[in-house]
Amino acid sequence: MAETVIEMEPVFIEVRADHEGGVETDAEDLRERIRRAGRLLVEGDAAQAQALYEAALPFVRDDELLRALLFNLGLAHEAQQAWEASAARFGEVIAGWRGHPDAGHAMLRVAEAWAQLERWEAIPSLMQEHGQRGGLPLVERLEGMVRLASALLELRRFTEAARAYDAVLARNAEASAAWDPQRVRPEQRPLRASHGLISQARYGRARVFHLLALGVHLRMPNEVLRQDLATFRQLIDEAREAYLEALAGGHPLWAARAGLMVGQLFEDTYATVLAAEVPAGFSALESAIYFHELRRFLRRDLEHAIRVYQEAMAMCYRIGAPSSFVEEAQARIVRLRAYLDERLAWATEERWVLDGIHPRSYPRGARWRYHTDPPD
């Protein structure tokens, strides 16, 4: 007779002591255990969900169930900020089911894990592959494009980053122009200006111009200095315009960050002009007069920054931004007022500038320093 083999799914039995000194048992089949893990994950108990998923994993034979389990296991690791483990599990989904929509989602989660681990160099190629996938919903496609642009920005590939952010905004604008709910599938609906991805793209585009401006040093002779100053102001103006566009979206995170960065632009203008190369041959008296007049001229930039931070505080309350932004704006106001009123470290600054040291190069711990990024 031919032998018939029936493969059964396992049953998990838990044994525990009851209050009378006896034992109690609970039996749970494989699929019920996986469903329970999913409920725990949704409820926020990622550690227990992970334990249940890992206990079930060796016994899963169904291909679809295995893919879903691995993806959710990646989510459980991500919720615990276990980024290496998260990337590994999502990587298994990509390798095993590359043509499935879940692989596209997994690519975005891997990019998130790599961003948290600051492996920026690994992200562009993965997001370029993601962008080549067909049939992506617009929001998923734009997320991949934003992640690509942000990685390029972190890698200081500024020209490519600016183009990538522009491509995000252009793609959404094209979708807006073509949008017709009678003819276009719902998943291709354009995103509003207040959407986080659009606000992030505008903010990232502003950061490109801002960081380019921070790379400009004002050098002598006068002809070169005038050209450097024109380049610096053009970049600052473009950064300000882009920050204001991000701010106008009203997103609780990106608008709040943009509001603080508008103030930062005024601080950076003060620092950059103060650090301009000083004409050679100045005596001690001439240097003192030079810095006195220059600071008197530049004071308005820091006063503008204080007003912007005050306005940013009001905006943060209005849009429901995290309290850390309000605290940061308040701290900047206090710092700048003390700097102006008490002339904190002015003599040290001037000595360093005469030695060719830019204020943003000051050693960590110096009394006077500038922040280039607000809190998360």
Side-chain angles (χ1 to χ4, degrees), residues 46 50 54 72-83 85-86 89:
Q50 175 194 332
E54 289 178 342
N72 285 350
L73 190 50
L75 291 177
H77 287 303
E78 182 179 286
Q80 300 171 83
Q81 299 184 4
W83 303 114
S86 172
R89 289 305 187 186

Side-chain angles (χ1 to χ4, degrees), residues 161-234:
R163 289 173 180 165
Y165 283 124
D166 285 342
V168 173
L169 301 174
R171 187 64 178 260
N172 195 60
E174 290 171 5
S176 296
W179 175 245
D180 180 347
Q182 303 301 320
R183 296 186 301 105
V184 181
R185 298 194 308 274
E187 60 268 26
Q188 300 305 320
R189 178 189 296 272
L191 307 186
R192 297 180 177 180
S194 58
H195 193 281
L197 291 174
I198 301 303
S199 297
Q200 184 178 356
R202 296 192 187 283
Y203 179 88
R205 185 171 177 274
R207 289 292 290 148
V208 171
F209 294 122
H210 194 164
L211 292 172
L212 286 171
L214 295 182
V216 176
H217 291 185
L218 308 182
R219 304 154 297 167
M220 296 297 287
N222 285 333
E223 296 77 16
V224 175
L225 188 146
R226 280 194 291 269
Q227 182 58 51
D228 288 343
L229 186 59
T231 299
F232 174 76
R233 292 200 176 280
Q234 179 182 352

